[in-house]
Amino acid sequence: MTKIALGASGRSDPARVLEEIKRISVELLGAVPNGLYSPVEFTLQDSSARGGATRHVELQALVKLRQQSSGFVMRYRQQIAQGFDDFRSLRIRNRGDLPLSLVAENQLAYHLAGQQLADAIETRFAPALETMGARLDKLADDLQMQPGSNPIGAGRLAGAFIETFRDAQMPHDLQPLMFRAYEQELSRVLGDLYSRINNLLATAGYGRPAQGPRPLPPTNVEVARRDQEHELVQQIRRPRVVDPAIAAQFAQLRAELHAWRQQMPEQASARDLLPRRELRNEEVASVVSLLQPESPDVFVRALGGDPGQLASAIRGHLVEGARRLGHNPEYTRMSADQDDAVDLVGMLFESLFQSYALLDHARRLYGRLVMPYVKVAMSDQGVFVQREHPARRLLDAITEACEGNAAATPQDRELIERCAAISQRIVADYQEDLAVFATAHAELETLLEQHRRRVELQEARAAKATFGRERLNEARAQADNTVHYLFNEPVTGPVGEFLAQPWRHHLVQTLLRDGPGSPAYTETLALGDSLLEADRLARTGRDGRRLADRLLSLQDAISHCLASSGLDEDAATQRLAGLISALALPDAPRNLQAVPAPVTDEEGADDASLWLAGGTDTLDHDPETAARMRRLLPGEWLRLLDPAGQAVAVKVAWISPMTGRFLLVNRRGLRVLVASAAELASLAQAGRLQVGAERAPTDEAMRHLRDRLVHAA
């Protein structure tokens, strides 16, 4: 850094200080645009490899942008320099003199993305920006200027990107990828840049903030949320004292791991063959840092293999990395603590894939996170036993976003792409500061809140649809019983056909719309009784006038009944004429009518064929287990094995007030199963249902991990 002489007042020439800040900023930020293309290309190719749509248009546009990179770099450097010129020009004009312009419709998405980018930068570098802003205000006072916006602040950097690529031919789907790559590149540079600028200002005598009224506490909800996230990051960065309770829990976990390892001969023999000198934690951290940005293919393949394969892949990768750093595997080996961290990380990731419906396209995302989590585990035992650990909370959020996510909707695709971008950022940014995980979790949590609201609406729709089907089935069963009662005496074929079809359908509709005991329901029953009475009169053939009067009185009711079945006026008239013609013949054959087959709920039948066998009347279940199932409450989580043997996390979303059946939905709010307490007990007895699953995915994975260790040992 260029040294600037202090004046008699203890401060350097403010103009020279500002010029030096400008020089450093242009130097460090000038190369940022050149670093955007490779990450975006990797993301596009990775999306295609995961089975998504081929991104030919985006890749071709990226090639054109790369060909024009020198022009974009020059334009971006001019934008950074212009920020300092604008800061200086505020001496002669105030903010009200700045030109205003309307935003074109095709640029609106650009500006919205730029605002989100500015918010992310401001949140991540809030302490440094706050310090710099106060010092620049003091510098502005010495320049006899009104305090202005930071020329390298979050908003200015977002605007520089927008102005640089404003006229670029960039497809709509490429824009968010470029913004994310820009945010990642800035994250690499801004930490060093802001530190150097703050040190320069302090050295030049601007170490204390300017006096004056302080801003009021934020009232905007979004600002308050960012302040809370900043405070969380600051807490994480403070030195941590190991909680004795956490240490005791981790010691117990390691004891279970060692007992499991003793039951694995291949593990013990491999351990005996390792070299003698144990690698220091600093050496292993260097190895992990070397391997962290490399391709995760070896871990992706291991996640799809047998249990224990991931830990073996991690260990082999670390040995090879140590060799590349000059640590000969014939003379070095990992310590017991390091071995434990490798095994626990491998088992944790495997448990996540065993406990949750994570699709194949998520394997690369998780494989990319393996090395950063190995680094966390090497230095922080809390990740395995502390529920609020930042790395653990991020893993929970990513699993919530990815479980069962087939990227079938734009919202689901956005979740997957955001998780992929966050995993890349963790790989790029994480060294030893857990604040990287906290910031990434806060960003993803904002998107998940929108996802959870959609899930709640989906659950409500599923509950409403299920309740509607139950009411329909109840109405159908009641109508079937009524028809069965009416068919106890022989009737003519047309009368029996009318009662079994349009009248039964009308009775079901009346039960659904008006309910039993309503006037409409009473009138519908009266129509059925009156038709039977008319058939009796027709059979005797003695009282034709009375029969005619009866049919005339029923004409409107019969027409209304036929209309409810969807028949138009002509079809209803023909049906009515056929019915009257049959009743006019006293010698027409009259027989006992066959009771119509009940109409089954096809969706409910699908449930039974998928999950159960033998019918609900012959279910083999434990009454005590069934009683326990009846005590389940909405919001409780369970683990269910589907017919393919895939573990699915399900939640009790709703309990029917009519039948007491339980609606189980997955994390996307989609119906998985509707079952009675007896049916759930039967599934539990068959080992396909586990009650009391943890809400947080990592908690459930750790429980699965412990069960695996205890069972094997």
Side-chain angles (χ1 to χ4, degrees):
M1 180 185 299
T2 303
K3 293 185 178 180
I4 302 174
L6 298 178
S9 64
R11 293 197 180 103
S12 302
D13 178 7
R16 292 185 59 191
V17 172
L18 187 62
E19 191 64 28
E20 181 64 14
I21 295 175
K22 174 182 176 181
R23 184 191 67 79
I24 295 173
S25 300
V26 173
E27 176 185 334
L28 292 183
L29 291 171
V32 165
N34 279 336
L36 306 182
Y37 309 110
S38 295
V40 173
E41 182 181 12
F42 174 81
T43 301
L44 292 173
Q45 292 176 347
D46 185 47
S47 176
S48 300
R50 288 189 280 107
T54 306
R55 302 291 190 92
H56 289 307
V57 176
E58 290 81 2
L59 286 170
Q60 290 175 359
L62 188 65
V63 170
K64 293 181 180 179
L65 292 177
R66 182 173 270 163
Q67 292 171 350
Q68 306 171 26
S69 60
S70 59
F72 291 133
V73 169
M74 182 177 298
R75 189 181 305 175
Y76 183 75
R77 292 170 67 93
Q78 291 172 348
Q79 287 296 322
I80 299 300
Q82 184 65 40
F84 289 91
D85 295 340
D86 292 344
F87 182 84
R88 187 190 298 264
S89 67
L90 289 175
R91 287 181 297 177
I92 58 176
R93 66 180 183 188
N94 56 37
R95 295 181 66 87
D97 297 326
L98 294 176
L100 299 176
S101 62
L102 295 176
V103 178
E105 185 176 355
N106 61 349
Q107 294 292 326
L108 182 58
Y110 239 42
H111 283 265
L112 291 176
Q115 184 60 51
Q116 294 176 357
L117 170 65
D119 291 342
I121 296 173
E122 189 173 352
T123 299
R124 179 173 298 187
F125 298 100
L129 285 171
E130 182 179 359
T131 301
M132 190 189 308
R135 292 172 176 175
L136 286 174
D137 287 349
K138 193 64 176 177
L139 180 68
D141 286 343
D142 283 3
L143 288 170
Q144 298 181 353
M145 296 164 37
Q146 294 181 1
S149 61
N150 188 339
I152 51 174
R156 187 73 202 192
L157 293 176
F161 178 86
I162 293 174
E163 291 299 324
T164 300
F165 292 94
R166 177 183 294 277
D167 300 327
Q169 298 298 320
M170 195 180 301
H172 179 73
D173 291 340
L174 185 60
Q175 291 181 10
L177 299 180
M178 290 290 287
F179 268 102
R180 290 172 193 167
Y182 179 56
E183 181 183 345
Q184 293 174 6
E185 287 299 308
L186 284 181
S187 299
R188 298 174 187 272
V189 176
L190 290 183
D192 181 42
L193 173 63
Y194 288 164
S195 176
R196 290 181 62 177
I197 300 304
N198 275 323
N199 289 337
L200 173 62
L201 288 168
T203 304
Y206 299 98
R208 292 190 299 175
Q211 299 298 323
R214 306 303 299 168
L216 295 174
T219 56
N220 183 276
V221 175
E222 185 65 20
V223 175
R225 181 186 62 80
R226 291 201 302 267
D227 289 346
Q228 293 175 357
E229 293 171 0
H230 167 56
E231 176 60 25
L232 175 62
V233 170
Q234 292 302 103
Q235 291 177 3
I236 292 171
R237 284 174 172 164
R238 296 186 190 114
R240 295 186 303 276
V241 178
V242 178
D243 188 337
I246 293 178
Q249 294 177 34
F250 186 66
Q252 176 63 29
L253 179 62
R254 289 189 65 191
E256 295 170 355
L257 176 66
H258 296 165
W260 165 81
R261 191 178 286 148
Q262 290 176 1
Q263 305 299 320
M264 309 292 290
E266 65 276 9
Q267 293 283 347
S269 60
R271 177 88 184 148
D272 293 339
L273 293 174
L274 289 174
R276 294 183 178 179
R277 185 181 76 82
E278 293 184 351
L279 292 169
R280 298 190 304 273
N281 288 339
E282 296 80 3
E283 294 172 330
V284 176
S286 299
V287 173
V288 176
S289 298
L290 171 69
L291 301 175
Q292 193 165 295
E294 295 188 353
S295 171
D297 289 345
V298 62
F299 306 131
V300 175
R301 291 191 295 269
L303 278 171
D306 297 330
Q309 189 171 339
L310 180 57
S312 298
I314 297 172
R315 191 171 282 107
H317 213 48
L318 290 175
V319 170
E320 180 58 30
R323 183 198 304 273
R324 287 157 55 183
L325 286 182
H327 304 297
N328 192 331
E330 296 181 0
Y331 303 104
T332 57
R333 64 175 239 183
M334 289 191 295
S335 67
D337 292 349
Q338 295 158 2
D339 262 335
D340 290 347
V342 168
D343 280 332
L344 290 174
V345 169
M347 297 175 78
L348 172 61
F349 275 72
E350 288 176 347
S351 295
L352 283 172
F353 272 82
Q354 292 170 5
S355 304
Y356 294 94
L358 298 173
L359 305 182
D360 286 339
H361 62 70
R363 294 188 189 278
R364 189 167 193 84
L365 191 156
Y366 281 83
R368 199 179 293 129
L369 291 172
V370 167
M371 275 292 115
Y373 275 82
V374 169
K375 184 185 289 186
V376 173
M378 293 285 186
S379 59
D380 191 345
Q381 60 193 26
V383 69
F384 297 111
V385 294
Q386 189 179 4
R387 292 188 171 186
E388 296 301 317
H389 193 282
R392 187 157 166 169
R393 295 182 69 193
L394 177 61
L395 203 55
D396 285 334
I398 290 176
T399 303
E400 181 180 350
C402 293
E403 186 188 11
N405 189 344
T409 66
Q411 294 84 4
D412 287 347
R413 286 194 292 274
E414 183 181 9
L415 274 175
I416 290 292
E417 290 176 358
R418 184 66 60 87
C419 289
I422 284 176
S423 69
Q424 293 174 7
R425 184 191 307 165
I426 294 297
V427 168
D429 294 353
Y430 175 61
Q431 296 303 324
E432 301 293 339
D433 190 355
L434 292 176
V436 174
F437 293 93
T439 304
H441 172 262
E443 174 188 334
L444 184 56
E445 187 68 17
T446 301
L447 194 60
L448 281 175
E449 283 297 330
Q450 304 173 12
H451 167 70
R452 294 185 188 114
R453 286 194 289 270
R454 291 194 298 269
V455 168
E456 290 175 359
L457 293 175
Q458 185 67 37
E459 290 178 3
R461 286 194 290 266
K464 186 176 181 180
T466 301
F467 189 48
R469 286 196 299 273
E470 289 189 346
R471 292 184 64 240
L472 176 60
N473 290 337
E474 179 71 17
R476 285 171 173 172
Q478 191 168 346
D480 288 340
N481 290 335
T482 304
V483 171
H484 188 276
Y485 172 77
L486 295 179
F487 280 6
N488 283 330
E489 62 180 275
V491 293
T492 57
V495 172
E497 182 182 351
F498 178 84
L499 292 175
Q501 295 179 7
W503 182 82
R504 176 188 176 277
H505 176 77
H506 183 58
L507 180 60
V508 170
Q509 297 300 315
T510 303
L511 285 169
L512 291 175
R513 285 195 302 262
D514 305 296
S518 64
Y521 175 71
T522 303
E523 292 173 2
T524 303
L525 291 181
L527 173 61
D529 292 336
S530 297
L531 280 174
L532 289 178
E533 179 64 23
D535 191 71
R536 296 190 196 102
L537 290 174
R539 182 174 51 193
T540 62
R542 297 176 182 176
D543 197 346
R545 178 175 294 278
R546 185 180 174 189
L547 174 61
D549 292 341
R550 175 62 57 89
L551 291 176
L552 287 174
S553 66
L554 295 178
Q555 183 174 354
D556 290 341
I558 292 173
S559 298
H560 178 65
C561 177
L562 291 170
S564 71
S565 297
L567 298 179
D568 58 20
E569 184 176 356
D570 292 338
T573 301
Q574 293 177 7
R575 189 74 176 262
L576 178 61
L579 188 62
I580 293 174
S581 177
L583 291 174
L585 301 174
D587 296 332
R590 289 170 173 81
N591 302 307
L592 287 173
Q593 300 294 318
V595 179
V599 179
T600 59
D601 180 7
E602 296 179 359
E603 198 161 1
D606 289 343
D607 279 341
S609 64
L610 282 174
W611 299 100
L612 304 170
T616 57
D617 293 337
T618 58
L619 282 176
D620 182 16
H621 68 277
D622 180 14
E624 293 184 3
T625 305
R628 182 187 177 192
M629 297 299 172
R630 293 187 186 94
R631 293 193 292 270
L632 291 173
L633 298 175
E636 291 193 51
W637 286 89
L638 306 89
R639 287 186 66 245
L640 190 66
L641 291 181
D642 65 14
Q646 173 69 57
V648 181
V650 293
K651 182 178 73 171
V652 179
W654 174 78
I655 303 174
S656 170
M658 179 180 294
T659 64
R661 295 199 304 168
F662 297 85
L663 169 64
L664 305 183
V665 299
N666 60 18
R667 289 189 184 272
R668 319 207 72 73
L670 301 177
R671 185 177 70 95
V672 174
L673 177 65
V674 180
S676 66
E679 292 167 341
L680 294 180
S682 176
L683 289 172
Q685 188 170 337
R688 296 171 60 186
L689 180 69
Q690 178 183 346
V691 180
E694 299 287 352
R695 180 181 180 85
T698 310
D699 292 344
E700 180 62 28
M702 286 302 301
R703 186 169 78 166
H704 184 273
L705 186 156
R706 285 181 175 273
D707 291 344
R708 174 182 169 186
L709 293 178
V710 173
H711 178 74

